[in-house]
Amino acid sequence: MLSSINNSFEQDTHDVDANCDGPDLDFVYADVDSYQNEIAELYSYTEFCEFQMNVKAFEDQMELYDLPPNWQKQDLASQRSIVMKLVDQLEVSDRSFRMQAARCILYLAQGCWAEVQSDEEQHQNTRDNVIVLYQLGVFSSFIDLLNMEIETACSPDIVAVKITNVTLVDSTDIRVILSVLYIITETIRDEREKGSEDYRQLAESFVQEINSPLPDGELLAVKLLGMITRFCSGAAPQFPMKKVVLLLWKVSLLGLGGMDVLKQLKNEYRVKVGLDPITEDTLEVTKCMRASSPPATATDILENQYPKRNFKRSLMKQRFLDEPEQIDMDQMGNEGGPNANNGNNTTTSSSTGNGEDELSQYYRPFDDPSSASSSGNNSNTSTANPNNQPSLTQPAAAVPAVQITARLPWTPKVRQKDIDQFLDISRNKFIGYSLIGDHESLAGLPQPIHEGFKTLQRHMYVSLSDMQIKKEEDIARNPISTHEDEIKLTPAEILYQAILPNLPQYMIALLKVLLAASPTSKSKTESINIMADVLPKKMPLTATQSTKLTVDMGRHKEIIVKAVSAIILLYLKHFKINHVYQFEFMSQHLVFANCIPLVLKFFNQTITEYVNTKNSIPLLDFPSCVIGEQPDLSGDSFVYGGEMSDKPYSWRNVFSCINLLRILNKLIKWKHSRVMMLVVFKSAPILKKTLKVRHAMMQLYVLKLLKMQTKYLGRQWRKSNMKTLSAIYSKVRHRLNDDWAFGNDLESRPWDFQAEECTLRACVDRFNLRRYPEATQKCGAGGGNNGTAAQNAENAQQSNMHAGNGSGNNSGADRDTNGYGNGSSGSGTAGSGQQQLHDYGVEGGFPSDEILTHSDFAFFGHSGWWDRKVELTDYFKANYAVWLEEEVYNSQTDWDAL
């Protein structure tokens, strides 16, 4: 009776969406989805008719060679001879003849699907054909074809004619070229990941090729980024963006390396600078965590163990984190009451069982992740329910027991900065003075302070970034005496040097595409049309065709979000390991291009629906759409993808959400000015709604974002969201001496925010100018139109901080393509200062608009900055005497203060 009353009150006080939370998602985060899904996502459903064009081109070509139109009947020598003839045909001047050979090669790369009866045969044919195609130079030939298509699309004659109403027909040829390049890249990546012996040497040479400049001096990744920039600027609206970003993602992933390579490189670089390797991996630890919303409080547990007769209705202040587990716990607690009289052993188990059940909601056993599944008697239940989460439809006896370890999932960490702050406060409190630069002296301090200091030292963590920053500070302080290590040309270093001159434009273009593909973006605000390679020339007439097109458009957007988020995250992670200032340079330009409000805008939706949405029709996915007997997709036979799939979620949507959360964490971590952007844009309610997705890894990154801003949200918010704070305490790593749950942190002073960002920008500019002076001068010009990048970036961030009352509507799509918005928005003083520099003849501007210090002068002299010849303008020469009188002779300088 009490249980039913409790349930009724819970339903009254819970949020209406609380019951929408489904079971734990068995999603496993990885670099990519399965090979079949990755290949199927390359094609839109509206491209179905073009598959037959590939077969027709192959048959016509074989007839021209007087050969039977059957690839499998040809021996290896004949197959290689045919491919060589097709490669020669790719170089003819006749466009139609050239594209016929390209379609033949595409048919071969697709596995000669017209000659097989199963998906396995088609995959094996693709695997065998890709070896032949790559060995005979098809990949480099198609790169040349891609260059020709880019030049044709961006020629002055084409650009002069404004292309309107772009459809699938306008990108027919370039889609064929991109499809061949993508299939070769993805097949080699998949076989390399599997460790195939016959692909080992081929994969190594392919990785070396994509990490080397093309004959025109550009990397393939840079060429693809340039295509995205041209598309966003309106110069080439017919470019098929989905295929471009997919190819860019796979080329970057294969060239740079995935999660395993990142982990290996990080430990290798740490050992090289004298640090210990990393033993904890976030991906592995999150596999041991339970995906659950914040648990009930201790008071609720006591009330369930000792129910009162006069039930008192409690006020539920939290609206987004309530879930059915508390109801189940209440039922178990009340049902345990009558059984408590069965014996002493039963009483003991019932009194401790609730605590262990509650603790098991935090995380799984960390020491042995497989113990949970192996300890159960029912192995089938463990396989079907990998998270060991009790199901509402299964009896409690069928759930295997979970072994709980009395520890938190993470080892606590502390920075050297935190230890210094601890010592400084202790010395001022007990002795009355401070020792600047002394990190170890404990003289005069009581014994508890000694023990606390030893504990902090035992958990001190020195990151690879700290060592790199310290090295840069030494070089800036002593530029001549400090020896700089030789720059190793790693794949990340090669890519950074290649994209550095135009990195701001590339970041803006990627964010524009991401915004246009976001489900929360409105069509009237889109400045680019990413649906050009989906919309057919003739619009659908029947209801079935309209439904298929609607599903295809939603699927198209999801794939673009998946690829763009993966590209940005991959670049951030590799740049951070290669050098922290490369990562900071890219991060700053993402922040200046409004990446933070854009991601928040993406999550400002019913995220559980987005995760569960399945915009797919399995019967229309390649190769199912061309192999075997095809059903009639009309009327009752039109089956939606969500009804045929056995998974309750969309893999690519969960993947995209986790990627975007990881990007947000990387941009904001240890940056107090950016944390304040989260607060200004009111991100806490948006992030709390994201906690409804029952996946441990996604919840971890959401809780990290909430932990960063908790101290700024006020006492009332913390009081009303104690369950959220409990979840943060149990799942997020502890930073010793971190005052995250209260507003007492000295670093939360608002007047330090802008100075922090400017200091970081000056350090990054100093690093880039020393190592890459020519590329940095090109980048510092801001594209040649909008002043220096630093000035526009500062203006953009100031406008964000002052106008951030919404949930992120000031998105990257509203920015100027060549820079960071209008130079007039923001501080007028900075704009007039830059104009004055321009009038005085300093055309390129300085790397930073900050005042140059002594070390800056020494650094610039060391890097050869002052060796550059500067042409003084007539305006400068005519007014030089006046400027000298006003700014030098009449200016009083306190040299002692300096």
Side-chain angles (χ1 to χ4, degrees):
M1 181 64 183
L2 183 60
S3 176
S4 61
I5 296 176
N6 192 9
N7 289 341
S8 65
F9 279 124
E10 291 285 351
Q11 292 175 0
D12 290 339
T13 55
H14 280 193
D15 188 75
V16 292
D17 293 334
N19 294 327
C20 297
D21 297 352
D24 289 359
L25 303 184
D26 58 347
F27 172 85
V28 178
Y29 186 81
D31 288 321
V32 293
D33 201 354
S34 64
Y35 173 79
Q36 291 76 13
N37 291 340
E38 294 293 341
I39 292 295
E41 290 177 351
L42 175 65
Y43 308 102
S44 301
Y45 295 151
T46 50
E47 297 182 65
F48 174 76
C49 60
E50 297 185 7
F51 291 125
Q52 301 300 329
M53 297 172 61
N54 301 336
V55 181
K56 182 68 167 55
F58 175 76
E59 293 174 350
D60 294 344
Q61 201 68 29
M62 297 297 285
E63 184 179 354
L64 187 65
Y65 297 153
D66 292 330
L67 294 173
N70 194 314
W71 181 258
Q72 293 181 334
K73 291 183 179 180
Q74 309 293 331
D75 57 6
L76 181 60
S78 178
Q79 289 179 354
R80 296 177 69 90
S81 175
I82 293 172
V83 172
M84 293 176 67
K85 292 179 181 179
L86 292 175
V87 172
D88 293 338
Q89 190 173 330
L90 292 175
E91 300 178 0
V92 300
S93 58
D94 188 354
R95 184 183 184 88
S96 61
F97 202 50
R98 188 170 66 235
M99 292 312 300
Q100 182 176 348
R103 284 198 174 276
C104 291
I105 294 177
L106 176 58
Y107 174 72
L108 298 180
Q110 289 173 343
C112 304
W113 46 265
E115 305 173 14
V116 300
Q117 298 298 323
S118 66
D119 297 355
E120 290 75 14
E121 293 181 53
Q122 179 268 336
H123 183 205
Q124 184 61 37
N125 285 345
T126 296
R127 185 181 181 279
D128 297 337
N129 292 344
V130 164
I131 296 179
V132 178
L133 293 177
Y134 181 73
Q135 288 178 346
L136 296 179
V138 170
F139 190 84
S140 57
S141 298
F142 270 76
I143 293 294
D144 296 336
L145 283 181
L146 181 62
N147 288 331
M148 294 173 58
E149 290 295 327
I150 294 174
E151 293 176 1
T152 302
C154 299
S155 62
D157 297 335
I158 301 296
V159 174
V161 180
K162 183 67 176 179
I163 302 177
T164 57
N165 299 327
V166 183
T167 61
L168 197 67
V169 180
D170 299 312
S171 60
T172 302
D173 294 343
I174 197 170
R175 280 188 289 107
V176 172
I177 298 171
L178 291 171
S179 297
V180 173
L181 294 175
Y182 180 84
I183 292 174
I184 293 177
T185 303
E186 175 61 15
T187 304
I188 293 177
R189 185 208 60 79
D190 181 65
E191 295 297 330
R192 185 190 188 209
E193 187 177 313
K194 293 178 181 177
S196 301
E197 191 67 27
D198 51 348
Y199 264 83
R200 177 176 298 177
Q201 293 183 354
L202 185 144
E204 292 178 357
S205 61
F206 183 74
V207 171
Q208 186 177 0
E209 179 179 351
I210 62 178
N211 285 330
S212 302
L214 300 173
D216 58 357
E218 274 190 336
L219 289 177
L220 178 56
V222 176
K223 188 174 295 295
L224 296 172
L225 285 168
M227 292 180 66
I228 301 176
T229 305
R230 291 187 181 97
F231 173 82
C232 293
S233 65
Q238 71 272 27
F239 282 168
M241 267 304 98
K242 185 184 76 172
K243 287 181 169 56
V244 172
V245 296
L246 281 175
L247 179 58
L248 174 61
W249 172 31
K250 295 306 172 61
V251 166
S252 302
L253 181 61
L254 189 55
L256 297 176
M259 294 183 294
D260 294 337
V261 175
L262 281 165
K263 184 178 179 181
Q264 177 184 351
L265 286 176
K266 187 172 183 178
N267 287 333
E268 179 183 330
Y269 292 166
R270 286 182 61 86
V271 171
K272 187 176 180 180
V273 297
L275 299 176
D276 296 331
I278 296 294
T279 57
E280 289 180 337
D281 183 52
T282 304
L283 303 179
E284 295 300 325
V285 174
T286 51
K287 291 178 182 178
C288 305
M289 288 185 178
R290 285 194 176 277
S292 62
S293 296
T297 61
T299 306
D300 297 332
I301 298 175
L302 291 176
E303 290 180 354
N304 294 326
Q305 291 179 352
Y306 306 101
K308 297 180 181 180
R309 188 178 301 274
N310 51 348
F311 182 78
K312 197 173 185 179
R313 179 170 179 172
S314 61
L315 296 177
M316 305 295 291
K317 297 227 175 157
Q318 195 169 5
R319 287 296 180 189
F320 297 105
L321 297 177
D322 298 324
E323 60 178 0
E325 275 85 348
Q326 188 171 353
I327 302 176
D328 300 336
M329 188 187 63
D330 295 339
Q331 292 175 350
M332 289 188 291
N334 292 327
E335 290 172 0
N339 297 330
N341 297 326
N342 293 337
N344 295 332
N345 296 333
T346 307
T347 305
T348 305
S349 62
S350 63
S351 61
T352 59
N354 285 332
E356 292 184 353
D357 290 341
E358 193 57 48
L359 186 60
S360 68
Q361 296 294 324
Y362 288 129
Y363 53 87
R364 292 201 195 101
F366 177 70
D367 294 334
D368 187 8
S370 61
S371 62
S373 59
S374 62
S375 61
N377 296 327
N378 192 346
S379 60
N380 295 330
T381 305
S382 301
T383 304
N385 194 1
N387 291 325
N388 298 328
Q389 185 70 19
S391 175
L392 299 179
T393 59
Q394 296 177 348
V399 180
V402 178
Q403 179 183 357
I404 303 301
T405 56
R407 57 175 292 180
L408 292 170
W410 303 98
T411 302
K413 289 181 180 179
V414 64
R415 298 177 297 172
Q416 182 64 49
K417 178 181 178 181
D418 300 325
I419 298 180
D420 295 342
Q421 184 179 355
F422 171 76
L423 286 177
D424 190 50
I425 294 175
S426 301
R427 288 165 180 163
N428 287 328
K429 179 178 180 181
F430 293 101
I431 305 177
Y433 68 91
S434 59
L435 298 175
I436 305 300
D438 189 335
H439 307 297
E440 298 180 356
S441 177
L442 300 175
L445 298 178
Q447 185 63 29
I449 300 299
H450 289 227
E451 297 176 0
F453 176 75
K454 293 178 181 179
T455 302
L456 292 176
Q457 274 196 326
R458 192 164 57 249
H459 292 88
M460 189 178 74
Y461 172 78
V462 180
S463 66
L464 182 63
S465 301
D466 295 336
M467 301 298 292
Q468 294 170 346
I469 292 174
K470 183 179 179 181
K471 181 71 173 180
E472 289 299 317
E473 290 176 350
D474 293 341
I475 294 176
R477 191 180 303 110
N478 305 303
I480 298 178
S481 60
T482 304
H483 173 70
E484 183 177 7
D485 298 333
E486 182 182 356
I487 301 176
K488 188 178 179 180
L489 290 179
T490 61
E493 181 68 30
I494 295 172
L495 177 65
Y496 183 79
Q497 293 183 15
I499 68 174
L500 177 59
N502 299 308
L503 188 141
Q505 286 76 21
Y506 295 153
M507 295 302 104
I508 291 175
L510 287 173
L511 293 182
K512 275 194 171 186
V513 174
L514 180 62
L515 175 70
S518 174
T520 56
S521 63
K522 299 179 181 178
S523 58
K524 64 180 181 180
T525 61
E526 292 180 4
S527 58
I528 56 177
N529 179 22
I530 60 172
M531 293 297 172
D533 49 334
V534 177
L535 298 176
K537 191 171 184 180
K538 295 181 180 179
M539 297 306 293
L541 301 177
T542 64
T544 302
Q545 293 175 347
S546 300
T547 304
K548 185 177 76 170
L549 181 59
T550 302
V551 173
D552 199 9
M553 293 174 66
R555 173 177 177 266
H556 185 81
K557 286 188 173 183
E558 292 173 0
I559 295 171
I560 290 179
V561 172
K562 166 188 170 182
V564 173
S565 63
I567 291 168
I568 296 176
L569 180 63
L570 186 69
Y571 286 0
L572 286 173
K573 291 185 71 65
H574 273 280
F575 288 158
K576 187 170 185 179
I577 292 177
N578 196 57
H579 199 286
V580 63
Y581 280 153
Q582 296 176 350
F583 161 80
E584 295 293 357
F585 185 65
M586 179 177 173
S587 299
Q588 278 202 326
H589 285 292
L590 286 172
V591 173
F592 298 154
N594 285 332
C595 181
I596 294 177
L598 192 155
V599 175
L600 293 178
K601 181 177 181 180
F602 178 89
F603 284 102
N604 192 22
Q605 58 174 316
T606 308
I607 201 67
T608 51
E609 293 183 4
Y610 180 77
V611 166
N612 297 329
T613 300
K614 298 177 185 176
N615 287 314
S616 62
I617 306 173
L619 294 178
L620 294 181
D621 287 339
F622 181 85
S624 301
C625 61
V626 291
I627 296 179
E629 184 179 355
Q630 300 301 314
D632 182 20
L633 292 180
S634 62
D636 297 336
S637 63
F638 185 84
V639 181
Y640 217 55
E643 301 176 7
M644 298 183 63
S645 176
D646 56 342
K647 295 182 179 179
Y649 59 88
S650 170
W651 195 96
R652 60 173 168 263
N653 289 351
V654 181
F655 180 76
S656 302
C657 291
I658 293 178
N659 284 344
L660 291 173
L661 288 170
R662 296 182 72 184
I663 291 171
L664 205 56
N665 271 278
K666 287 194 170 297
L667 295 181
I668 294 174
K669 187 177 181 181
W670 304 121
K671 305 292 190 304
H672 301 287
S673 58
R674 300 174 191 177
V675 173
M676 282 305 298
M677 292 182 70
L678 284 183
V679 179
V680 168
F681 287 118
K682 301 178 181 178
S683 64
I686 299 173
L687 295 173
K688 282 172 58 182
K689 286 191 295 184
T690 309
L691 284 174
K692 283 182 166 296
V693 180
R694 299 177 60 85
H695 187 263
M697 188 174 183
M698 186 182 298
Q699 289 182 349
L700 173 66
Y701 287 111
V702 172
L703 292 173
K704 282 185 176 182
L705 292 170
L706 288 172
K707 178 182 178 180
M708 294 176 191
Q709 55 180 316
T710 299
K711 67 178 73 172
Y712 306 110
L713 296 177
R715 181 181 300 177
Q716 185 59 40
W717 187 91
R718 295 192 291 270
K719 184 178 178 181
S720 304
N721 294 273
M722 290 304 297
K723 291 184 180 180
T724 308
L725 269 64
S726 300
I728 293 173
Y729 182 86
S730 63
K731 293 186 176 182
V732 183
R733 185 190 303 274
H734 286 263
R735 293 277 178 173
L736 301 181
N737 283 5
D738 185 10
D739 201 12
W740 64 270
F742 307 96
N744 303 325
D745 197 342
L746 296 177
E747 295 178 344
S748 62
R749 292 175 294 181
W751 51 84
D752 287 341
F753 294 156
Q754 195 62 34
E756 177 192 40
E757 204 71 36
C758 292
T759 303
L760 177 61
R761 188 184 66 215
C763 295
V764 172
D765 288 340
R766 189 183 302 122
F767 164 79
N768 284 332
L769 268 170
R770 190 189 75 253
R771 292 180 62 164
Y772 326 105
E774 296 181 1
T776 307
Q777 291 173 20
K778 296 178 183 178
C779 180
N785 295 328
N786 293 344
T788 62
Q791 173 211 343
N792 291 313
E794 185 176 358
N795 293 339
Q797 189 175 15
Q798 287 177 351
S799 62
N800 282 344
M801 296 295 289
H802 289 301
N805 293 326
S807 59
N809 293 327
N810 297 329
S811 52
D814 299 329
R815 317 298 299 172
D816 189 280
T817 307
N818 298 323
Y820 301 92
N822 298 326
S824 60
S825 62
S827 174
T829 305
S832 61
Q834 293 298 328
Q835 182 63 35
Q836 187 178 14
L837 280 176
H838 176 76
D839 293 339
Y840 283 163
V842 186
E843 299 291 342
F846 290 106
S848 172
D849 54 2
E850 298 300 307
I851 298 176
L852 297 179
T853 62
H854 174 74
S855 60
D856 292 322
F857 277 103
F859 153 70
F860 288 137
H862 180 63
S863 66
W865 174 267
W866 299 114
D867 296 337
R868 191 180 65 163
K869 294 182 179 180
V870 178
E871 294 294 335
L872 300 177
T873 62
D874 295 336
Y875 179 87
F876 180 87
K877 296 176 181 178
N879 297 275
Y880 175 72
V882 179
W883 173 82
L884 198 63
E885 185 70 25
E886 293 180 354
E887 300 295 333
V888 179
Y889 297 148
N890 294 336
S891 177
Q892 300 297 328
T893 303
D894 188 356
W895 299 104
D896 295 332
L898 291 178

